[in-house]
Amino acid sequence: MAFRFRGHFTHKAVIDITPLIDLTFNMIIFFMVSFSLGVQSSITVHLPRAVQSGDEHTGPVVVSVTGKNEVFINDAAVNRDSLVEEFKRRKNELGRETVVIRGDREADYETIIKVMDGLNRAGIPKFILSTVK
């Protein structure tokens, strides 16, 4: 006859999911903070100053004109002669959003006008010029 003794302490496998929940919430917070609703340009542009400057805007399309009159659309260099075709190609992704033009204070006035003219010719009438207060 075999005796089987049972102790007061029985071991059960328990999986504690508290650290998993903490990790999930930390990842959600990280992605919410790091996610940008608009496109931020990494092209260095010294914006002109204005006393009456509006709120800061971002949009899906940011056009940057550097002091050397180089044109960038969302940080990708674009030839000034092909601006209209590039704007027509990006018109669908814009929807009803506004294009942000960031023109350097050293850029030629003619280059800024070419960008605005290219937007109008591509059928994108909504754009703003960025300034700093």
Side-chain angles (χ1 to χ4, degrees), residues 74-119:
N74 293 347
D75 298 343
V78 177
N79 187 353
R80 284 187 281 173
D81 298 329
S82 63
L83 279 174
V84 177
E85 292 83 22
E86 187 66 30
F87 289 142
K88 282 181 182 178
R89 192 174 66 77
R90 293 178 183 255
K91 184 177 179 180
N92 291 337
E93 76 181 71
L94 244 171
R96 295 181 144 190
E97 295 289 326
T98 303
V99 174
V100 178
I101 301 173
R102 299 175 63 240
D104 194 286
R105 63 183 121 180
E106 300 293 323
D108 289 340
Y109 185 63
E110 182 180 2
T111 306
I112 304 292
I113 295 298
K114 272 192 172 186
V115 169
M116 293 188 315
D117 185 48
L119 286 166

Side-chain angles (χ1 to χ4, degrees), residues 11-91:
H11 295 286
K12 287 187 177 180
V14 176
I15 299 175
D16 186 17
I17 64 168
T18 305
L20 183 62
I21 292 171
D22 290 344
L23 177 70
T24 305
F25 281 125
N26 282 332
M27 288 179 63
I28 289 172
I29 290 170
F30 171 76
F31 286 117
M32 285 175 58
V33 169
S34 64
F35 179 71
S36 175
L37 294 176
V39 176
Q40 295 289 331
S41 179
S42 64
I43 305 298
T44 303
V45 174
H46 302 289
L47 296 173
R49 296 195 183 279
V51 175
Q52 291 277 331
S53 184
D55 296 332
E56 184 177 331
H57 291 305
T58 58
V61 177
V62 176
V63 180
S64 301
V65 180
T66 65
K68 296 178 182 176
N69 295 314
E70 299 167 321
V71 179
F72 294 87
I73 299 177
N74 293 347
D75 298 343
V78 177
N79 187 353
R80 284 187 281 173
D81 298 329
S82 63
L83 279 174
V84 177
E85 292 83 22
E86 187 66 30
F87 289 142
K88 282 181 182 178
R89 192 174 66 77
R90 293 178 183 255
K91 184 177 179 180

